[in-house]
């Protein structure tokens, strides 16, 4: 509708669509990245260079962990979620298990 994406049926499966960024979408993405870069520079301008580098490194680690979580098999994620619930329950309620 806004011309940001192009969709086209795939040859191998007529139920599926191949989606590509349209020229208008590329232009919008460039504008959003430019605005994001300006805001980031303004927000981080007050930090010393070493602190900015450390922040980028820590945030990169968070992103890597999030990507690893998404790639993990669902059973592994359920197990990790259960452990996280137990941990937070212990933090909030002492040793009492989390009640559902």
């Amino acid at each position: 509708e806004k011309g940001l994406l192009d969709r086209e049926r795939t040859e191998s499966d007529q139920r599926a669509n191949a989606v590509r960024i349209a020229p208008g979408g590329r232009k919008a993405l460039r504008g959003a990245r430019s605005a994001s870069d300006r805001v980031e520079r303004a927000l981080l301008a007050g930090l010393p260079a070493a602190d900015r580098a450390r922040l980028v490194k820590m945030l990169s680690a968070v992103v890597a962990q999030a990507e690893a979580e998404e790639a993990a098999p669902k059973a592994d994620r359920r197990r990790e979620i259960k452990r996280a619930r137990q941990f937070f329950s212990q933090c909030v309620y002492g040793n009492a298990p989390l009640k559902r």
Side-chain angles (χ1 to χ4, degrees), residues 17-69:
N17 286 306
V19 180
R20 293 179 189 79
I21 298 176
R26 282 185 181 70
K27 182 179 179 182
L29 185 58
R30 278 191 303 273
R33 283 183 177 157
S34 178
S36 172
D37 289 346
R38 284 192 306 273
V39 169
E40 181 181 324
R41 280 192 302 275
L43 289 173
L44 300 177
L47 290 176
D51 289 347
R52 283 195 306 268
R54 194 175 8 220
L55 176 61
V56 168
K57 185 176 180 180
M58 288 188 294
L59 291 174
S60 296
V62 170
V63 169
Q65 180 62 35
E67 290 172 348
E69 286 293 320

